[in-house]
Amino acid sequence: MLLNILKYPDPFLKTKAKTVDVVTDELRELLDNMLKTMYVEGGIGLAATQVGVAKRVVVLDIPITTEDEYGDEQSEQGKNVLKLVNPVITDESGETTYEEGCLSVPGVRADVKRSAELRLQAMDEDGKDVEIHATGLLAIAIQHEVDHLNGVLFIDRLGLVKRDLIKRRLKKAAAAKAEDIADAKAEKAVL
Ligand code: NI
C-alpha cells in the first residue's frame, strides 16, 4: 500500500515520534509500505513522521551507482535497504556539507552541514539489535531521517535568512494550491 507523504507546512512534521516497544507484524507492514512509497516518490530515505505515524522508524536505501559499458551512470536500488527501529546516533565526528532535499519539502534543495561519520544503534525489522557505522551519503541520510523523528526538517538547519525565505515561499505556494482546490470545488458546486 502506498502512503501519503505529508508536506511542509503540515504541523504533524513537527511531532516528536515515540519509541517502539515491540516490533510487530503491523510495524513490519508499515516499514514495507514506507519503502514502497519511498521508491515511488524517488527518495533514498523516509521517516514514519512523514507519513503521519509518530513512531521512531525509518527506511533507507542508498542506491549503488555504477557506470555501464557506455560510461553512463546506472543506479541500482534494493542493495542497501535499511529498516531501522528506534535509531539512536551514539557517536559522530567530522563535518560534511551536502545539498539535501526532502520528500516533505518538494522543490527545495539546500546545503546542510552534518557530521561526516557516525555510529548508530537500532533494532532491525526482527527486533534484533544492530549497530551501524556510516560515512558518506548514508551518514548524511541517517542524520536527516533521525531529525524527522525529532520533528526537525533540513530547512530548520539552515541560516535564519535562508530558512525564512524558503519557508515563506513554501507557505505561499501551499496557500495558492489550497485556493486552487477551493476554486475547483466551488466550480463543481455551481455545475
Ligand atoms: Ni526528509
Side-chain angles (χ1 to χ4, degrees), residues 50 101-104 144-145 148:
Q50 291 178 273
C102 178
L103 295 176
S104 292
H144 178 115
E145 301 313 327
H148 272 303

Side-chain angles (χ1 to χ4, degrees), residues 46-128:
L46 188 68
T49 330
Q50 291 178 273
V51 294
V53 178
K55 289 181 180 162
R56 300 192 78 80
V57 298
V58 306
V59 294
L60 295 142
D61 183 12
I62 308 299
I64 294 174
T65 306
T66 50
E67 275 185 13
D68 68 8
E69 54 192 307
Y70 307 105
D72 290 328
E73 283 198 345
Q74 301 282 311
S75 87
E76 205 177 344
Q77 286 178 330
K79 295 275 164 90
N80 285 324
V81 174
L82 284 173
K83 296 172 176 172
L84 302 174
V85 179
N86 300 339
V88 176
I89 294 169
T90 53
D91 192 23
E92 48 192 317
S93 58
E95 197 179 278
T96 186
T97 301
Y98 183 78
E99 192 183 49
E100 296 186 19
C102 178
L103 295 176
S104 292
V105 193
V108 176
R109 298 196 74 92
D111 282 345
V112 182
K113 225 185 265 178
R114 307 257 187 205
S115 300
E117 193 172 343
L118 60 84
R119 281 185 191 282
L120 174 119
Q121 285 180 350
M123 281 194 288
D124 65 11
E125 63 176 331
D126 299 316
K128 270 194 296 195

Side-chain angles (χ1 to χ4, degrees), residues 22-39:
V22 192
V23 180
T24 59
D25 284 343
E26 197 191 341
L27 193 80
R28 277 186 278 272
E29 202 184 327
L30 170 68
L31 287 163
D32 280 344
N33 289 335
M34 283 170 60
L35 197 65
K36 277 181 204 151
T37 305
M38 185 188 86
Y39 286 143

